[in-house]
Amino acid sequence: MPQLPPVDVFDYIVFGATGDLTMRKLLPALYYRYRDGQIPDQSRIVGTARSPLSRADYQGRAEKALTEFVKPADFDEATARRFLDLIHYVSLNGAEADSTWPALQSLLTEAPEDRIRVYYLATAPGLYGQICENLSSHGLVTEQSRVVLEKPIGTDLESADAINDHVGRYFPENHIFRIDHYLGKETVQNLIALRFANPVFERLWSSDAIDYVQITAAETVGVESRGPYYDKSGALRDMIQNHLLQVLCLVAMDPPGSLEADSLRNEKLKVLRALRPIAPDDVATFTVRGQYARGRTADGTTLPSYLEDLGEDATSDTETYVAIRAEIHSWRWGNVPFYLRSGKRLAEKCSEIVIQFKAAPWSIFPGKPRANRLLIRIQPDEGVTLSVSTKDPTLTDSLALRPADINIAFEKAFGTRYPDAYERLLLDVVRGDPILFIRRDEVEAAWRWIDPILRGWAENKAPLHTYPAGSWGPEAARALLAQDGHAWHEDMA
Ligand code: BG6
């Protein structure tokens, strides 16, 4: 059921086409949109990677990916066959100037010059600049070309600047789409609707009524086969610098003047720039980092440690868990802590935002009413729950209170499938709509805040805690909130 009209005919050229992201996310997302009638049949998806594969070999891999990563109920044999016909493959080392570029050139120039071209770089970020340079020197950057950069852009501000400068020599900023798939999640977009279409929330959205905010992205998986990337990255670069800071921006920003991309991005940027810096000497006070040790699932299965996951004799001080007490220096948010946390091998897979309101200043009831809490569940069980106090109906002869929830479970309420974040984002690039993509200055502002924390950790100014796999993270993360008299969601009464 298409929500928008089909996009214009396009060529989508994916660098890193044999990788995990392409197989797990990009191809299934394009399949869904094709099935929904949003992709015209003349469009082409061109995989490129170093492996010497034929077109048929690659189509075979793509087919396997679809059977594995598209829900069986959504997989239609005939549609998949037609979708696979859109797929081409060019064996190419995008980082080498004298690789088989003529093969890509001749494939692309079969199409009219004004066809939309999207170059999706699902490779190591260190290659982005070189690939763009090679695209340009082989005459492949047309007026209608865009480039998509996967996160993380660099490993710090300096390397991010170098990548952005290099790419920026060949593509203008409005043709560079820096993807952060959290922005494509329905529930993250829904934050904009929830906040700016419902004055009931927006009127209370400040330190006047809000006590503190928690943003969590917890995963049960470990580092899996991504050890070589992850060990150089760690949770701060992998999740906080991008996904969690973007969510924080949407929670904290002022109302944008319109739904025009730059209007929204200007407001997000103001939030990033208002984050109180955490100096290297302060990392022990405001951050907690941890690495999972051996542990157990709730049903008693043993889980390996991070070092065991990395492989024999591995040593590493990379964090797989981060908690941060952030502050935003603005009138709206003065004195409201924003607690951010993300970790691998935690007790549950869940991404959520908790808005904890202040308690009533005075109580006429026996006992204190519990303060209201708004829980925004990004995934799974996407929805919103407002905790309120009601009269306890079981105690008919008194005005005793009882906590209750006002709950919207989106999937049930709207009876619709929740698409994967990549579905919307991949076609937004074709539409040329940058609203859910990150502008260069946002990337820079995020690194500017993250870099001193990385420096403090590199200088060992905060200990690296361990936590049992399958738990909610290091004890020190509890203490981080306890010092403010607060608790993480799972520990809340
Ligand atoms: C990616 C990170 O950006 O997001 C992964 O690189 C992480 O380490 C993933 O697992 C989490 O995404 P989601 O959508 O499952 O919350």
Side-chain angles (χ1 to χ4, degrees):
M1 194 197 325
Q3 280 120 42
L4 288 173
V7 294
D8 292 339
V9 176
F10 61 79
D11 284 339
Y12 229 104
I13 302 99
V14 180
F15 286 82
T18 50
D20 209 47
L21 180 75
T22 309
M23 295 299 165
R24 261 174 201 275
K25 294 288 184 186
L26 307 186
L27 291 175
L30 289 167
Y31 164 81
Y32 270 105
R33 290 294 148 134
Y34 179 74
R35 188 194 70 146
D36 289 352
Q38 288 189 266
I39 298 183
D41 277 313
Q42 306 89 314
S43 300
R44 297 182 296 179
I45 299 162
V46 184
T48 82
R50 279 178 302 180
S51 316
L53 302 174
S54 69
R55 182 179 178 198
D57 291 338
Y58 189 68
Q59 284 170 324
R61 288 197 189 192
E63 184 175 10
K64 189 161 166 281
L66 297 186
T67 46
E68 205 172 329
F69 300 114
V70 170
K71 285 195 188 129
D74 298 330
F75 184 81
D76 174 67
E77 195 82 48
T79 312
R81 201 84 343 269
R82 280 188 288 121
F83 174 74
L84 290 170
D85 272 350
L86 311 187
I87 296 182
H88 295 252
Y89 182 78
V90 176
S91 165
L92 170 74
N93 183 345
E96 277 179 9
D98 56 0
S99 188
T100 41
W101 290 96
L104 183 62
Q105 252 167 354
S106 65
L107 184 66
L108 293 182
T109 49
E110 280 170 17
E113 160 91 18
D114 62 352
R115 177 176 291 188
I116 293 168
R117 273 188 206 169
V118 179
Y119 294 110
Y120 195 112
L121 309 192
T123 63
L127 306 181
Y128 293 168
Q130 194 55 49
I131 294 175
C132 292
E133 185 171 330
N134 293 339
L135 283 169
S136 168
S137 65
H138 290 90
L140 293 172
V141 182
T142 57
E143 294 253 307
Q144 284 285 26
S145 296
R146 292 118 216 228
V147 65
V148 184
L149 309 181
E150 257 297 332
K151 60 129 277 250
I153 313 267
T155 51
D156 55 15
L157 179 59
E158 197 184 338
S159 54
D161 271 348
I163 292 170
N164 282 323
D165 282 345
H166 202 170
V167 172
R169 266 179 242 145
Y170 312 104
F171 288 88
E173 177 65 22
N174 63 353
H175 287 191
I176 302 174
F177 289 76
R178 297 179 191 83
I179 207 163
D180 182 312
H181 78 277
Y182 263 61
L183 289 184
K185 289 184 190 283
E186 273 289 322
T187 30
V188 173
Q189 295 172 49
N190 195 30
L191 266 174
I192 302 170
L194 199 69
R195 287 196 53 204
F196 304 125
N198 298 287
V200 68
F201 293 125
E202 196 48 30
R203 299 264 145 80
L204 297 177
W205 216 255
S206 74
S207 60
D208 289 347
I210 293 177
D211 198 2
Y212 60 96
V213 175
Q214 292 182 7
I215 303 175
T216 297
E219 298 185 88
T220 48
V221 290
V223 68
E224 302 190 301
S225 56
R226 297 167 72 224
Y229 151 75
Y230 193 88
D231 200 50
K232 284 200 216 92
S233 169
L236 188 64
R237 291 186 176 101
D238 187 51
M239 294 292 289
I240 308 277
Q241 188 271 346
N242 32 78
H243 305 322
L244 270 79
L245 284 185
Q246 283 295 318
V247 173
L248 173 123
C249 285
L250 294 180
V251 172
M253 70 185 182
D254 284 342
S258 73
L259 270 185
E260 199 258 318
D262 277 337
S263 184
L264 193 89
R265 300 195 288 186
N266 289 344
E267 294 306 331
K268 289 197 288 162
L269 183 65
K270 283 187 208 158
V271 174
L272 291 168
R273 288 188 174 158
L275 281 168
R276 173 188 196 268
I278 298 178
D281 282 340
D282 292 334
V283 286
T285 313
F286 296 109
T287 75
V288 171
R289 57 174 174 154
Q291 187 186 84
Y292 60 87
R294 223 185 249 199
R296 282 177 191 290
T297 58
D299 64 12
T301 314
T302 304
L303 294 167
S305 68
Y306 176 66
L307 297 181
E308 287 167 322
D309 275 346
L310 282 186
E312 232 166 90
D313 300 332
T315 56
S316 168
D317 54 9
T318 297
E319 80 289 353
T320 59
Y321 176 98
V322 187
I324 302 183
R325 183 189 189 285
E327 282 174 28
I328 298 167
H329 280 181
S330 69
W331 271 56
R332 188 192 275 265
W333 294 117
N335 294 321
V336 178
F338 280 73
Y339 303 108
L340 311 178
R341 66 173 165 168
S342 182
K344 298 234 179 247
R345 280 265 194 259
L346 297 182
E348 255 177 56
K349 161 101 183 155
C350 87
S351 296
E352 63 177 29
I353 302 160
V354 175
I355 310 287
Q356 180 63 52
F357 290 95
K358 290 183 173 163
W362 179 252
S363 174
I364 57 170
F365 300 96
K368 226 177 154 201
R370 212 169 63 167
N372 297 117
R373 180 183 311 144
L374 182 69
L375 171 64
I376 302 168
R377 293 186 307 277
I378 299 175
Q379 63 186 29
D381 306 326
E382 291 83 352
V384 177
T385 301
L386 179 65
S387 306
V388 296
S389 295
T390 58
K391 178 191 172 304
D392 189 337
T394 62
L395 301 171
T396 45
D397 295 337
S398 82
L399 248 180
L401 298 177
R402 180 169 171 168
D405 287 342
I406 300 174
N407 192 21
I408 319 175
F410 292 142
E411 211 156 340
K412 209 162 137 209
F414 302 126
T416 185
R417 173 182 79 86
Y418 262 63
D420 186 79
Y422 279 96
E423 291 181 37
R424 156 123 200 218
L425 298 175
L426 290 180
L427 291 203
D428 271 0
V429 182
V430 178
R431 290 184 198 103
D433 183 357
I435 189 161
L436 298 175
F437 293 82
I438 319 286
R439 210 167 53 190
R440 175 173 180 164
D441 46 11
E442 292 178 74
V443 177
E444 288 168 359
W447 279 123
R448 206 163 274 126
W449 189 69
I450 293 287
D451 274 2
I453 302 176
L454 286 169
R455 232 175 302 131
W457 288 356
E459 291 163 15
N460 271 324
K461 299 203 164 164
L464 176 69
H465 299 275
T466 55
Y467 59 97
S471 71
W472 271 109
E475 269 309 309
R478 280 212 170 98
L480 182 73
L481 270 66
Q483 69 195 3
D484 296 334
H486 301 153
W488 290 109
H489 188 196
E490 66 279 3
D491 295 333
M492 285 175 172

